[in-house]
Amino acid sequence: KGVRPEDTTLELALGWLALPRDIGKHPETGEMIVAGVGRFGPYLLHNKQFTNLPAEDDVMTIGINRAVDILSQPRPERKGGKGRFAKKAAAPKAAAKKAPAKKVAASKATPAAKATAKKPAVKKVAAPKAAAKKAPAKKTVKK
């Protein structure tokens, strides 16, 4: 992102094709640190944890010292916890119940709403149909 096609060089293109690249092993954990570009931009991967790479750092040139420095910084907390349904799951059950919805005052309701509100629901019951009687067939008389 941010590179015009006419500014692309063979060296730059080969660098992109080499991503994700191993930077080196973390000095404390011994796990490999990997730099790459993903859906949300450049990142560092260490110990199955993704960390966004700051805008001033380049994914192609970042070294082990800078990567360890970035990984040592505290991670920002995600909004909403774990996933989009965490707020519902974390809410106490007593607070989950809502107050019953208030009815609209008759004076504020529209005329159409007033008409439908006053009429009780009526079920239509189909009357049994009488069997249709056929007219007797006319007989033709031969002469």
Side-chain angles (χ1 to χ4, degrees):
K1 185 176 180 180
V3 178
R4 297 184 320 194
E6 54 270 4
D7 294 339
T8 304
T9 62
L10 179 62
E11 182 180 321
L12 191 59
L14 290 174
W16 287 331
L17 290 173
L19 292 178
R21 70 179 184 91
D22 293 339
I23 296 175
K25 290 189 177 186
H26 195 283
E28 295 172 8
T29 63
E31 296 285 328
M32 185 60 72
I33 299 174
V34 178
V37 178
R39 179 177 177 181
F40 302 108
Y43 65 87
L44 294 175
L45 174 64
H46 173 253
N47 224 8
K48 297 182 182 177
Q49 295 284 324
F50 290 89
T51 304
N52 289 338
L53 202 59
E56 63 268 6
D57 293 309
D58 184 24
V59 73
M60 306 262 198
T61 60
I62 190 166
I64 187 72
N65 293 336
R66 179 66 180 143
V68 170
D69 184 42
I70 292 170
L71 292 172
S72 67
Q73 295 173 0
R75 292 174 52 122
E77 291 295 320
R78 289 186 178 181
K79 294 178 184 175
K82 299 176 181 179
R84 62 184 184 182
F85 300 108
K87 289 182 182 178
K88 290 182 182 179
K93 292 184 180 181
K97 292 182 182 178
K98 293 183 179 179
K102 294 181 180 179
K103 293 183 179 179
V104 177
S107 63
K108 293 182 181 179
T110 61
K114 286 181 185 178
T116 57
K118 292 180 184 178
K119 294 181 184 177
V122 179
K123 270 190 173 179
K124 291 185 180 180
V125 178
K129 292 183 177 179
K133 293 184 180 180
K134 292 185 177 179
K138 292 185 180 179
K139 296 182 181 179
T140 56
V141 181
K142 294 184 180 178
K143 286 190 184 180

